[in-house]
Amino acid sequence: MIGLCEGFRERYPGTRVGLLAVRAAENPKHCPRLERAKKALEEDLRAKYEDRAAIKDEPVIGIYREYYKRFKSTYHVLNQVASIALKGRSIPQVAALVEAMFMAELKNMVLTSGHDLDAMNAPLTMDSARGGETFTTLAGKEASVKSGDIILLDARGPAGSIIYGPDLRTMIRPQTVNVLFVAWGVPDLPPEIIQAHLNDIEGFLKLIAPECRVENSGVV
């Protein structure tokens, strides 16, 4: 379902990417079963981490922080986990498909983006940016991708990068029923962690839409 370009393989040898494509999902604003799972996850995070140092010591966090340092940036998932575990904040209620992805991201700390599958145009590829590729972010701002950043592309152009996140064109919308989740692998992130993360997303999706159909799931 996705190809790894030569530039990606050369700059990031051995790096893997996870994909989960799901059909016939649902995207309600509120899902009671998912809400119960959210509360349980919040309690687990608060019980697991006593301080920020404990979160920073997580191996997955460390792997992503090393990647982000190359671009003089910080791994935002660290702050997101800290806000739930240490500051007593709740997982926001936005739309069920986005919440399911975010829950798995908090649990596993694996960077993930969600896309409306019907808004994407094959072929899908992962590449190392040459620098200057542009797309509109979820905030509505134009991003110019940094050279070397890992970038997702479809036939129409960039659909997101690690540093700038997913694009506006392919974002999950209230009417989205066919969805693609991309687990952005970075150097040294084990493929089994990526696959377990995809499995968790699928499990949360089944709480929302038990009859949804997994079209593709795996690590490439």
Side-chain angles (χ1 to χ4, degrees):
M1 187 174 182
I2 193 168
L4 303 181
C5 293
E6 183 177 350
F8 176 90
R9 294 183 184 277
E10 288 180 353
R11 188 174 183 107
Y12 299 109
T15 299
R16 312 290 290 276
V17 177
L19 295 170
L20 174 64
V22 178
R23 300 278 183 181
E26 299 173 17
N27 196 24
K29 291 183 178 180
H30 179 76
C31 175
R33 291 185 297 274
L34 194 66
E35 285 298 314
R36 289 192 288 272
K38 283 166 62 175
K39 297 302 180 186
L41 176 59
E42 290 168 358
E43 292 174 3
D44 288 345
L45 292 174
R46 289 165 189 154
K48 186 174 183 179
Y49 301 111
E50 295 183 353
D51 53 33
R52 189 178 180 86
I55 303 172
K56 289 175 69 174
D57 284 343
E58 285 286 355
V60 172
I61 288 286
I63 289 170
Y64 277 102
R65 289 182 71 211
E66 285 301 312
Y67 179 92
Y68 275 71
K69 283 179 183 177
R70 301 182 186 192
F71 302 94
K72 298 180 180 180
S73 188
T74 57
Y75 188 37
H76 59 277
V77 174
L78 169 60
N79 292 331
Q80 291 169 339
V81 174
S83 72
I84 305 295
L86 307 178
K87 297 181 180 180
R89 295 176 183 167
S90 298
I91 298 171
Q93 184 176 314
V94 284
L97 291 178
V98 176
E99 291 170 31
M101 175 187 71
F102 186 48
M103 290 166 64
E105 205 172 39
L106 290 171
K107 178 181 177 182
N108 303 310
M109 304 176 185
V110 174
L111 182 68
T112 313
S113 61
H115 307 265
D116 188 312
L117 195 53
D118 296 325
M120 306 196 82
N121 296 270
L124 305 182
T125 56
M126 197 71 73
D127 202 355
S128 172
R130 286 143 184 82
E133 296 96 332
T134 62
F135 65 90
T136 303
T137 69
L138 296 183
K141 299 180 180 180
E142 185 175 276
S144 181
V145 184
K146 299 179 180 182
S147 177
D149 190 15
I150 295 175
I151 187 172
L152 171 67
L153 306 108
D154 71 356
R156 293 179 60 187
S161 79
I162 286 189
I163 298 300
Y164 288 108
D167 76 320
L168 187 65
R169 172 174 61 89
T170 68
M171 69 177 287
I172 294 173
R173 303 181 186 277
Q175 65 270 25
T176 297
V177 292
N178 300 317
V179 61
L180 173 70
F181 296 101
V182 178
W184 295 73
V186 291
D188 300 321
L189 185 67
E192 58 268 22
I193 288 179
I194 299 175
Q195 185 60 61
H197 176 65
L198 297 177
N199 295 343
D200 281 336
I201 297 176
E202 181 181 343
F204 290 137
L205 292 179
K206 292 290 186 180
L207 296 177
I208 305 165
E211 303 303 319
C212 68
R213 184 178 76 257
V214 174
E215 183 176 88
N216 194 306
S217 178
V219 180
V220 296

Coordinates of all heavy atoms in Angstrom, one line a residue, residues 40-101:
A40 N -9.9 4.9 31.6 CA -9.0 3.8 32.1 C -7.6 4.1 31.7 O -6.6 3.9 32.5 CB -9.4 2.5 31.5
L41 N -7.4 4.6 30.5 CA -6.0 5.0 30.0 C -5.5 6.1 30.9 O -4.3 6.1 31.3 CB -6.0 5.3 28.6 CG -4.7 5.8 28.0 CD1 -3.6 4.7 28.1 CD2 -4.9 6.2 26.5
E42 N -6.3 7.1 31.1 CA -5.8 8.2 31.9 C -5.3 7.8 33.3 O -4.3 8.2 33.8 CB -6.9 9.2 32.1 CG -7.3 10.0 30.8 CD -8.6 10.8 30.9 OE1 -9.3 10.7 32.0 OE2 -8.9 11.4 29.9
E43 N -6.1 6.9 33.9 CA -5.7 6.3 35.2 C -4.5 5.5 35.2 O -3.6 5.6 36.1 CB -6.9 5.5 35.8 CG -8.1 6.3 36.1 CD -9.3 5.4 36.5 OE1 -9.1 4.1 36.5 OE2 -10.4 5.9 36.8
D44 N -4.3 4.8 34.1 CA -3.0 4.0 33.9 C -1.8 4.9 33.8 O -0.8 4.6 34.4 CB -3.1 3.1 32.7 CG -4.1 1.9 32.9 OD1 -4.5 1.6 34.0 OD2 -4.5 1.3 31.9
L45 N -2.0 6.0 33.0 CA -0.8 6.9 32.9 C -0.5 7.6 34.2 O 0.7 7.8 34.5 CB -1.2 7.9 31.8 CG -1.3 7.4 30.4 CD1 -1.8 8.5 29.4 CD2 0.0 6.8 29.9
R46 N -1.5 8.0 34.9 CA -1.2 8.7 36.2 C -0.6 7.7 37.2 O 0.2 8.2 38.1 CB -2.5 9.3 36.7 CG -3.0 10.4 35.9 CD -4.4 10.8 36.1 NE -4.9 11.8 35.1 CZ -6.1 12.0 34.8 NH1 -7.1 11.2 35.3 NH2 -6.4 12.9 33.9
A47 N -1.0 6.5 37.2 CA -0.4 5.5 38.1 C 1.1 5.1 37.7 O 1.9 4.8 38.6 CB -1.3 4.2 38.1
K48 N 1.3 5.2 36.4 CA 2.6 4.8 35.9 C 3.8 5.8 36.1 O 4.9 5.4 36.4 CB 2.5 4.4 34.4 CG 3.8 3.8 33.8 CD 3.5 3.3 32.4 CE 4.7 2.6 31.8 NZ 4.4 2.1 30.4
Y49 N 3.4 7.1 35.9 CA 4.4 8.1 35.9 C 4.3 9.1 37.1 O 3.3 9.7 37.3 CB 4.4 8.9 34.6 CG 4.6 8.0 33.4 CD1 3.5 7.8 32.5 CD2 5.8 7.4 33.2 CE1 3.7 7.0 31.4 CE2 6.0 6.6 32.1 CZ 5.0 6.4 31.2 OH 5.1 5.5 30.1
E50 N 5.4 9.2 37.9 CA 5.4 10.1 39.0 C 5.9 11.5 38.7 O 5.6 12.4 39.3 CB 6.2 9.5 40.1 CG 5.7 8.2 40.7 CD 6.5 7.7 41.8 OE1 7.6 8.2 42.1 OE2 6.1 6.7 42.5
D51 N 6.7 11.5 37.6 CA 7.3 12.8 37.3 C 7.7 12.8 35.8 O 7.7 11.7 35.1 CB 8.5 13.2 38.1 CG 9.6 12.1 38.2 OD1 9.8 11.4 37.2 OD2 10.2 11.9 39.2
R52 N 8.1 13.9 35.3 CA 8.5 14.1 33.9 C 9.7 13.2 33.5 O 9.8 12.7 32.4 CB 8.8 15.5 33.6 CG 8.9 15.9 32.1 CD 9.1 17.4 31.9 NE 9.3 17.7 30.5 CZ 8.3 17.9 29.7 NH1 7.0 17.8 30.1 NH2 8.5 18.2 28.4
A53 N 10.6 13.1 34.5 CA 11.8 12.3 34.2 C 11.5 10.8 33.9 O 12.1 10.2 33.0 CB 12.8 12.3 35.4
A54 N 10.5 10.3 34.5 CA 10.1 8.9 34.3 C 9.5 8.8 32.8 O 9.8 7.7 32.2 CB 9.0 8.5 35.3
I55 N 8.9 9.8 32.3 CA 8.4 9.7 31.0 C 9.5 9.8 30.0 O 9.6 9.1 29.0 CB 7.3 10.9 30.7 CG1 6.2 10.8 31.7 CG2 6.8 10.8 29.3 CD1 5.2 11.9 31.7
K56 N 10.5 10.7 30.3 CA 11.6 10.9 29.4 C 12.5 9.6 29.3 O 13.2 9.4 28.3 CB 12.5 12.1 29.9 CG 11.8 13.4 29.7 CD 12.6 14.6 30.3 CE 13.9 14.8 29.5 NZ 14.7 16.0 30.0
D57 N 12.4 8.8 30.4 CA 13.2 7.6 30.4 C 12.6 6.5 29.6 O 13.3 5.5 29.4 CB 13.4 7.1 31.9 CG 14.4 7.9 32.6 OD1 15.2 8.7 32.0 OD2 14.4 7.9 33.9
E58 N 11.4 6.7 29.1 CA 10.8 5.6 28.2 C 11.6 5.5 27.0 O 11.9 6.5 26.3 CB 9.4 6.0 27.9 CG 8.4 5.8 29.0 CD 8.0 4.4 29.3 OE1 8.5 3.5 28.5 OE2 7.3 4.1 30.2
P59 N 12.0 4.3 26.6 CA 12.9 4.1 25.4 C 12.3 4.6 24.1 O 13.0 5.2 23.3 CB 13.0 2.5 25.3 CG 12.8 2.1 26.7 CD 11.8 3.0 27.3
V60 N 11.0 4.5 23.9 CA 10.4 5.0 22.7 C 10.5 6.5 22.6 O 10.8 7.1 21.6 CB 8.9 4.6 22.5 CG1 8.2 5.3 21.4 CG2 8.8 3.1 22.3
I61 N 10.2 7.2 23.8 CA 10.4 8.6 23.8 C 11.8 9.0 23.5 O 12.0 10.0 22.7 CB 10.0 9.2 25.2 CG1 8.5 9.1 25.5 CG2 10.5 10.6 25.4 CD1 7.7 10.1 24.7
G62 N 12.8 8.3 24.0 CA 14.2 8.6 23.7 C 14.5 8.5 22.3 O 15.3 9.3 21.7
I63 N 14.0 7.5 21.6 CA 14.2 7.3 20.2 C 13.7 8.4 19.4 O 14.4 9.0 18.5 CB 13.6 5.9 19.7 CG1 14.4 4.8 20.3 CG2 13.6 5.8 18.2 CD1 13.7 3.4 20.2
Y64 N 12.5 8.9 19.7 CA 11.9 10.0 18.9 C 12.6 11.3 19.2 O 12.8 12.2 18.4 CB 10.4 10.1 19.2 CG 9.6 9.2 18.4 CD1 9.1 8.0 18.9 CD2 9.3 9.5 17.0 CE1 8.3 7.2 18.1 CE2 8.5 8.7 16.2 CZ 8.0 7.5 16.8 OH 7.3 6.6 16.0
R65 N 13.0 11.5 20.5 CA 13.7 12.7 20.8 C 15.0 12.9 20.1 O 15.4 14.0 19.7 CB 14.0 12.7 22.3 CG 12.8 12.9 23.2 CD 13.1 13.0 24.7 NE 13.8 14.3 25.0 CZ 14.7 14.4 25.9 NH1 15.1 13.4 26.7 NH2 15.2 15.6 26.2
E66 N 15.7 11.8 19.8 CA 16.9 11.8 19.0 C 16.7 12.3 17.6 O 17.4 13.1 17.0 CB 17.6 10.4 19.0 CG 18.3 10.1 20.3 CD 19.4 11.1 20.7 OE1 20.2 11.5 19.9 OE2 19.4 11.5 21.9
Y67 N 15.6 11.8 17.0 CA 15.2 12.2 15.7 C 14.9 13.7 15.7 O 15.4 14.5 14.8 CB 14.0 11.4 15.2 CG 13.6 11.9 13.8 CD1 14.1 11.3 12.6 CD2 12.7 12.9 13.6 CE1 13.7 11.7 11.4 CE2 12.3 13.3 12.3 CZ 12.8 12.7 11.2 OH 12.4 13.1 10.0
Y68 N 14.1 14.2 16.6 CA 13.6 15.6 16.7 C 14.8 16.5 16.9 O 14.8 17.6 16.4 CB 12.6 15.8 17.7 CG 11.2 15.5 17.2 CD1 10.7 14.2 17.0 CD2 10.2 16.5 17.0 CE1 9.5 13.9 16.5 CE2 9.0 16.2 16.5 CZ 8.6 14.9 16.3 OH 7.3 14.6 15.8
K69 N 15.8 16.1 17.6 CA 17.0 16.9 17.9 C 17.7 17.3 16.6 O 18.3 18.3 16.5 CB 17.9 16.2 18.8 CG 17.5 16.2 20.3 CD 18.5 15.4 21.1 CE 18.1 15.3 22.6 NZ 19.1 14.5 23.4
R70 N 17.6 16.4 15.6 CA 18.3 16.7 14.3 C 17.7 18.0 13.7 O 18.4 18.6 12.9 CB 18.1 15.5 13.4 CG 18.6 14.2 13.8 CD 18.4 13.1 12.8 NE 18.8 11.8 13.3 CZ 18.9 10.8 12.5 NH1 18.7 10.9 11.2 NH2 19.3 9.6 13.0
F71 N 16.5 18.2 14.0 CA 15.8 19.4 13.4 C 15.5 20.5 14.5 O 14.7 21.4 14.3 CB 14.5 18.9 12.8 CG 14.7 17.9 11.8 CD1 14.6 16.5 12.1 CD2 15.0 18.2 10.5 CE1 14.8 15.5 11.1 CE2 15.2 17.2 9.5 CZ 15.1 15.9 9.8
K72 N 16.3 20.4 15.6 CA 16.2 21.4 16.6 C 14.8 21.6 17.1 O 14.3 22.7 17.3 CB 16.8 22.7 16.2 CG 18.3 22.6 15.8 CD 18.8 24.0 15.4 CE 20.3 23.8 15.0 NZ 20.9 25.1 14.6
S73 N 14.1 20.5 17.3 CA 12.7 20.5 17.7 C 12.5 19.5 18.9 O 13.4 18.8 19.2 CB 11.8 20.1 16.5 OG 10.4 20.2 16.8
T74 N 11.4 19.5 19.5 CA 11.1 18.6 20.6 C 9.9 17.7 20.3 O 9.0 18.1 19.5 CB 10.7 19.5 21.9 OG1 9.6 20.3 21.6 CG2 11.9 20.3 22.3
Y75 N 10.0 16.5 20.9 CA 8.9 15.5 20.6 C 7.7 15.9 21.4 O 7.6 15.7 22.6 CB 9.4 14.1 20.9 CG 8.5 13.0 20.5 CD1 7.8 13.1 19.3 CD2 8.3 11.9 21.3 CE1 6.9 12.1 18.9 CE2 7.5 10.9 20.9 CZ 6.8 11.0 19.7 OH 5.9 10.0 19.3
H76 N 6.6 16.3 20.7 CA 5.5 16.8 21.4 C 4.7 15.8 22.2 O 4.0 16.1 23.1 CB 4.5 17.5 20.4 CG 4.0 16.6 19.3 ND1 4.8 16.3 18.2 CD2 2.9 15.8 19.2 CE1 4.1 15.4 17.5 NE2 3.0 15.2 18.0
V77 N 4.8 14.5 21.8 CA 4.1 13.5 22.5 C 4.5 13.4 24.0 O 3.7 13.1 24.9 CB 4.2 12.1 21.8 CG1 3.6 11.0 22.7 CG2 3.6 12.2 20.5
L78 N 5.8 13.7 24.3 CA 6.3 13.8 25.7 C 5.4 14.7 26.5 O 5.0 14.4 27.6 CB 7.7 14.2 25.7 CG 8.3 14.6 27.0 CD1 8.3 13.4 28.0 CD2 9.8 15.1 26.9
N79 N 5.2 15.9 25.9 CA 4.4 16.9 26.7 C 2.9 16.5 26.8 O 2.2 16.7 27.8 CB 4.4 18.3 25.9 CG 5.8 18.9 26.0 OD1 6.5 18.7 27.0 ND2 6.2 19.7 25.0
Q80 N 2.4 15.8 25.8 CA 1.0 15.3 25.8 C 0.8 14.3 26.9 O -0.2 14.3 27.6 CB 0.6 14.8 24.4 CG 0.5 15.9 23.4 CD 0.4 15.3 22.0 OE1 0.8 14.2 21.7 NE2 -0.1 16.1 21.1
V81 N 1.8 13.3 27.0 CA 1.7 12.3 28.1 C 1.8 13.0 29.4 O 1.0 12.7 30.3 CB 2.8 11.3 27.9 CG1 2.8 10.3 29.1 CG2 2.6 10.5 26.6
A82 N 2.7 14.0 29.5 CA 2.9 14.6 30.8 C 1.6 15.4 31.2 O 1.3 15.5 32.4 CB 4.1 15.6 30.7
S83 N 0.9 16.0 30.3 CA -0.3 16.8 30.6 C -1.4 15.9 31.2 O -2.1 16.3 32.1 CB -0.8 17.5 29.4 OG -1.4 16.6 28.4
I84 N -1.4 14.6 30.7 CA -2.4 13.7 31.3 C -2.0 13.1 32.6 O -2.7 13.1 33.6 CB -2.7 12.6 30.2 CG1 -3.1 13.1 28.9 CG2 -3.8 11.6 30.8 CD1 -4.4 13.9 28.9
A85 N -0.7 12.6 32.6 CA -0.2 11.9 33.7 C 0.1 12.7 34.9 O -0.1 12.3 36.1 CB 1.0 11.1 33.3
L86 N 0.6 13.9 34.7 CA 1.1 14.8 35.8 C 0.3 16.0 36.1 O 0.3 16.5 37.2 CB 2.5 15.2 35.4 CG 3.5 14.1 35.0 CD1 4.9 14.7 34.7 CD2 3.7 13.1 36.1
K87 N -0.5 16.5 35.1 CA -1.3 17.7 35.3 C -2.8 17.5 35.5 O -3.5 18.4 35.6 CB -1.0 18.7 34.2 CG 0.5 19.1 34.1 CD 0.7 20.1 32.9 CE 2.1 20.5 32.8 NZ 2.4 21.4 31.7
G88 N -3.2 16.2 35.4 CA -4.6 15.9 35.7 C -5.5 16.2 34.5 O -6.7 16.2 34.7
R89 N -5.0 16.5 33.4 CA -5.9 16.9 32.3 C -6.5 15.6 31.6 O -5.9 14.5 31.8 CB -5.1 17.7 31.2 CG -4.6 19.0 31.7 CD -3.8 19.8 30.7 NE -3.3 21.1 31.3 CZ -2.4 21.8 30.7 NH1 -1.8 21.4 29.6 NH2 -2.1 23.0 31.3
S90 N -7.6 15.8 30.9 CA -8.3 14.7 30.3 C -8.0 14.6 28.8 O -7.6 15.6 28.2 CB -9.8 14.8 30.5 OG -10.1 14.8 31.9
I91 N -8.1 13.5 28.3 CA -8.0 13.3 26.8 C -9.1 14.1 26.2 O -10.3 13.8 26.5 CB -8.0 11.8 26.4 CG1 -6.8 11.1 27.1 CG2 -8.0 11.7 24.9 CD1 -6.9 9.6 26.9
P92 N -8.8 15.0 25.3 CA -9.9 15.8 24.7 C -10.9 15.0 23.9 O -10.6 14.0 23.3 CB -9.2 16.8 23.8 CG -7.8 16.4 23.8 CD -7.5 15.3 24.8
Q93 N -12.1 15.5 23.9 CA -13.2 14.9 23.1 C -13.4 15.7 21.8 O -13.8 16.8 21.9 CB -14.5 14.8 23.9 CG -15.6 14.1 23.2 CD -16.9 14.0 24.0 OE1 -16.9 13.7 25.2 NE2 -18.0 14.4 23.4
V94 N -12.9 15.1 20.7 CA -13.0 15.8 19.5 C -13.8 15.1 18.4 O -14.9 15.5 18.1 CB -11.6 16.1 18.9 CG1 -11.0 17.3 19.7 CG2 -10.7 14.9 19.0
A95 N -13.3 13.9 18.0 CA -14.1 13.0 17.1 C -13.5 11.7 17.4 O -12.3 11.5 17.6 CB -13.9 13.5 15.7
A96 N -14.3 10.6 17.3 CA -13.9 9.3 17.8 C -12.7 8.8 17.1 O -11.8 8.2 17.7 CB -15.1 8.3 17.7
L97 N -12.6 8.9 15.8 CA -11.4 8.3 15.1 C -10.1 9.0 15.5 O -9.1 8.3 15.6 CB -11.6 8.5 13.5 CG -12.7 7.6 12.9 CD1 -12.8 7.9 11.4 CD2 -12.5 6.2 13.1
V98 N -10.2 10.3 15.7 CA -9.0 11.0 16.1 C -8.6 10.6 17.6 O -7.5 10.4 17.9 CB -9.2 12.5 16.0 CG1 -8.0 13.3 16.6 CG2 -9.5 12.9 14.6
E99 N -9.6 10.5 18.4 CA -9.4 10.1 19.8 C -8.8 8.7 19.9 O -7.9 8.5 20.7 CB -10.7 10.1 20.6 CG -11.3 11.5 20.8 CD -12.7 11.5 21.3 OE1 -13.0 10.6 22.1 OE2 -13.5 12.4 21.0
A100 N -9.3 7.8 19.1 CA -8.7 6.4 19.1 C -7.2 6.4 18.8 O -6.4 5.8 19.4 CB -9.5 5.5 18.1
M101 N -6.9 7.2 17.7 CA -5.5 7.4 17.4 C -4.6 8.0 18.5 O -3.6 7.5 18.9 CB -5.3 8.2 16.1 CG -3.9 8.6 15.7 SD -3.9 9.7 14.3 CE -4.4 11.3 15.2

